[in-house]
């Protein structure tokens, strides 16, 4: 219950490269020109990026931000009603 991933509000990404074009990925990256483009695009959609955090840099991490609030609070989310599968019910408003 202490992660935005638990509430469907966060995801991690990695860019995979097939350098020799043989159909398998040889390299995974969380930085560089193309990764920076992805970061800029997701931030333009309103996602919070873990690479901007001061205490702990989490460059693969993105999470939804609550409208007019800096970030979601796990304590707030833990108290949400649950659906029949036990997943929290929330609105991204």
């Amino acid at each position: 219950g202490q992660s935005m991933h638990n509430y469907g509000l966060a995801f991690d990404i990695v860019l995979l490269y097939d350098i020799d074009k043989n159909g398998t990925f040889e390299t995974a990256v969380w930085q560089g020109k193309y990764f920076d483009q992805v970061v800029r695009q997701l931030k333009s959609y309103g996602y919070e990026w873990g690479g901007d955090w001061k205490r702990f840099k989490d460059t693969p991490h993105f999470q939804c931000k609550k409208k007019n609030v800096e970030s979601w609070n796990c304590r707030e989310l833990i108290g949400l009603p649950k659906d029949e599968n036990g997943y929290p019910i929330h609105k991204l408003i």
Side-chain angles (χ1 to χ4, degrees):
Q2 297 301 312
S3 169
M4 295 298 119
H5 293 279
N6 295 40
Y7 303 97
L9 296 171
F11 57 92
D12 295 334
I13 67 168
V14 62
L15 299 182
L16 302 173
Y17 291 99
D18 178 7
I19 295 169
D20 58 11
K21 309 232 184 298
N22 69 352
T24 60
F25 298 113
E26 291 81 26
T27 304
V29 297
W30 295 270
Q31 60 187 7
K33 178 176 133 182
Y34 295 114
F35 192 83
D36 292 345
Q37 289 175 350
V38 171
V39 168
R40 279 193 302 279
Q41 189 68 44
L42 288 170
K43 287 172 70 171
S44 79
Y45 293 143
Y47 287 95
E48 179 180 358
W49 178 44
D52 287 335
W53 295 345
K54 304 266 187 276
R55 289 182 22 178
F56 169 71
K57 300 279 185 202
D58 189 0
T59 55
H61 183 88
F62 293 86
Q63 65 187 37
C64 295
K65 291 197 308 188
K66 190 174 179 182
K67 188 175 180 182
N68 300 323
V69 177
E70 180 65 28
S71 187
W72 288 87
N73 178 313
C74 284
R75 288 190 185 114
E76 173 187 19
L77 294 168
I78 287 171
L80 290 173
K82 311 288 188 288
D83 68 12
E84 63 277 358
N85 296 309
Y87 294 106
I89 300 168
H90 57 76
K91 294 181 181 180
L92 295 176
I93 296 176

